[in-house]
Amino acid sequence: MNWPYEMRIGWRYTRAGRGGRRNGFISFISGVSMLGIALGVAALIIVLSVMNGFQKEVRDRMLSVVAHVEVYGASGAALDDWAALGERLKQNPQVQGVAPFVAAQALVARGEDMRGVMVRGIDPAYEADVTPLGAQLKDGVLARLQAGEWGVVLGSQLARSLGVQAGDSITLVTPSGQTTPAGVVPRLKQVRVVGVFNAGHYEYDSGLALMHIDDAARLFRTGGPQGVQLRLADLHQARALAAQIGTELGLDYIVRDWTHTNATWFDAVQIEKRMMGIILTLIVAVAAFNLVSTLVMTVTDKRADIAILRTLGASPRSVMGIFMVQGATSGVIGTFGGLALGLLVAFNVDVIVPAIEHALGVSFLPGNIYLISRMPSDPQGADILPIVVTSLLLAFVATLYPSWRASRVNPAEALRYE
């Protein structure tokens, strides 16, 4: 291939460096710079992939309990005809399932123990259409929720903290009281635990109780379902679809999607991910700017070569291009080497981490402390592409000053003592 001589000379300078002590040292510094870029890029890919994996794992566990979109009446009262509203919403091709619900906060008491919980009234016949947990428990635990029998299904952590199991009785204390001659007193209702669920998400396992929707409506005096839950074909379209449904239904309804319901958690994760990306990008920047010292030493070592090129007719732009090719080549090799290493580790975290744990005899994620006992990973192109582009840009910027210095070498001064 007939490449321009700037590229050929720049590539030869990149490969050279083993002929003498000085050239060998320059080659060593160049290799360290490429290795630093590769390790920085790989670390950035691996860390962001693991963070994506944790976010996906927690999101999936969260969405196994809650629906993608919830529609409430703006007044807070019961819906007049939830079935008609549900049929209207199901006309949207994105909506795959609809189910009514009642949601209210309460206290559960068992002896001296008392816990605050979110009580959700559900219809077992429809819950399987909107939540994976409902589908999983439909023919088992949820089938025991019968209207009028005042049964309740507790999260596993909540049941453990109260020391109850299926068949035990607990007391529900509602926030709205009733007026008596002695004043306003809270309303109490003794209910029977008919089952326990384990969603794998601490917030719901420790603070959620499920009841039949008819019992919940009677207990909290809502008069019927307060809203409907929607399951979508694509969970990532929840925010856009919620806005669209809100516009179509008007001011009589409030529409919330799962990202809005858990906005604090997702905002915290995004901020943490962004800050981690910035911190690790600085590592790549430090490695990339090591190329500056490599090129400065190379320019100093090649002053006579530069002078000869200039006397043969090479323009300052051509000389600058030679050293930019040398520096950019190191940046490209380091970047793509780091990309390959990062993807290799990110796609095999589930194999590499257990091997390290077995070799060291430790557990990085003990199952009795963390909800997730394995290290998840989810490499995403939206993260990897900016990493590669940023690394290449930093390497290119690092070549500008040394290359400009090379183009300013005076041939007469450089050859005076040769």
Side-chain angles (χ1 to χ4, degrees):
M1 184 179 294
N2 189 20
W3 289 358
Y5 76 90
E6 294 91 348
M7 294 187 66
R8 284 182 287 169
I9 296 175
W11 173 243
R12 188 176 70 182
Y13 282 173
T14 303
R15 294 185 295 111
R18 296 175 179 83
R21 290 182 58 191
R22 180 176 178 83
N23 287 344
F25 179 71
I26 295 173
S27 178
F28 172 75
I29 296 298
S30 178
V32 169
S33 300
M34 286 189 286
L35 181 62
I37 294 173
L39 292 178
V41 169
L44 195 48
I45 291 174
I46 294 168
V47 169
L48 293 185
S49 297
V50 170
M51 293 185 70
N52 288 335
F54 273 107
Q55 183 178 1
K56 181 178 183 296
E57 193 80 17
V58 174
R59 182 196 67 203
D60 290 346
R61 296 188 181 196
M62 183 185 301
L63 293 179
S64 71
V65 184
V66 299
H68 294 156
V69 177
E70 295 178 345
V71 181
Y72 302 83
S75 63
L79 299 177
D80 294 332
D81 189 351
W82 77 265
L85 176 62
E87 288 300 323
R88 178 181 175 185
L89 294 173
K90 288 179 70 173
Q91 293 178 3
N92 190 306
Q94 277 285 333
V95 179
Q96 293 187 326
V98 179
F101 74 96
V102 169
Q105 293 182 336
L107 294 174
V108 293
R110 164 82 171 179
E112 298 295 327
D113 294 325
M114 185 171 290
R115 298 285 187 276
V117 298
M118 173 63 72
V119 178
R120 183 184 298 164
I122 63 171
D123 190 330
Y126 293 98
E127 188 67 15
D129 296 337
V130 294
T131 62
L133 182 67
Q136 177 184 348
L137 304 178
K138 179 180 179 181
D139 298 325
V141 174
L142 294 189
R144 304 172 197 161
L145 291 178
Q146 301 294 328
E149 294 189 3
W150 297 101
V152 64
V153 178
L154 302 180
S156 57
Q157 295 290 337
L158 178 59
R160 186 177 297 113
S161 64
L162 293 173
V164 299
Q165 56 187 354
D168 293 338
S169 295
I170 59 175
T171 302
L172 277 178
V173 184
T174 64
S176 57
Q178 56 186 0
T179 304
T180 68
V184 178
V185 297
R187 287 186 293 114
L188 310 177
K189 181 63 181 180
Q190 196 166 36
V191 297
R192 183 170 58 89
V193 178
V194 297
V196 175
F197 69 84
N198 183 8
H201 191 287
Y202 183 80
E203 179 181 351
Y204 297 107
D205 287 341
S206 63
L208 181 63
L210 303 177
M211 295 182 67
H212 194 281
I213 190 169
D214 293 343
D215 293 343
R218 289 173 58 191
L219 178 64
F220 296 104
R221 298 180 179 179
T222 62
Q226 293 176 309
V228 294
Q229 305 174 95
L230 308 180
R231 188 78 178 175
L232 307 182
D234 184 1
L235 62 91
H236 299 291
Q237 298 297 321
R239 180 172 296 182
L241 188 62
Q244 177 185 338
I245 292 174
T247 302
E248 293 174 355
L249 296 180
L251 300 178
D252 293 334
Y253 296 92
I254 298 174
V255 183
R256 293 181 180 176
D257 65 281
W258 63 273
T259 63
H260 183 273
T261 305
N262 303 278
T264 302
W265 185 83
F266 283 100
D267 288 344
V269 169
Q270 289 301 321
I271 292 173
E272 182 179 356
K273 183 178 175 182
R274 190 176 300 116
M275 294 306 298
M276 188 64 69
I278 293 174
I279 293 171
L280 293 178
T281 301
L282 294 177
I283 298 176
V284 179
V286 170
F289 280 98
N290 279 340
L291 293 174
V292 175
S293 59
T294 302
L295 290 178
V296 167
M297 288 188 292
T298 304
V299 169
T300 303
D301 186 59
K302 303 294 184 183
R303 285 174 62 86
D305 294 1
I306 297 170
I308 293 173
L309 287 172
R310 290 295 308 278
T311 58
L312 291 175
S315 66
R317 178 176 295 180
S318 296
V319 173
M320 187 174 180
I322 290 171
F323 291 95
M324 288 182 66
V325 168
Q326 181 185 356
T329 301
S330 298
V332 169
I333 294 173
T335 298
F336 285 98
L339 174 63
L341 177 62
L343 291 178
L344 178 65
V345 175
F347 280 111
N348 294 280
V349 164
D350 55 341
V351 176
I352 295 173
V353 173
I356 296 175
E357 291 178 336
H358 179 74
L360 300 179
V362 298
S363 178
F364 297 138
L365 296 172
N368 60 342
I369 298 177
Y370 299 99
L371 292 176
I372 302 173
S373 58
R374 64 180 183 85
M375 190 78 73
S377 178
D378 181 26
Q380 295 183 2
D383 293 326
I384 295 173
L385 182 60
I387 292 171
V388 172
V389 172
T390 300
S391 177
L392 293 176
L393 286 176
L394 289 174
F396 175 76
V397 171
T399 65
L400 294 179
Y401 175 71
S403 302
W404 177 79
R405 284 283 303 272
S407 70
R408 305 292 293 176
V409 170
N410 189 324
E413 290 291 334
L415 294 176
R416 174 174 298 179
Y417 301 106
E418 293 294 331

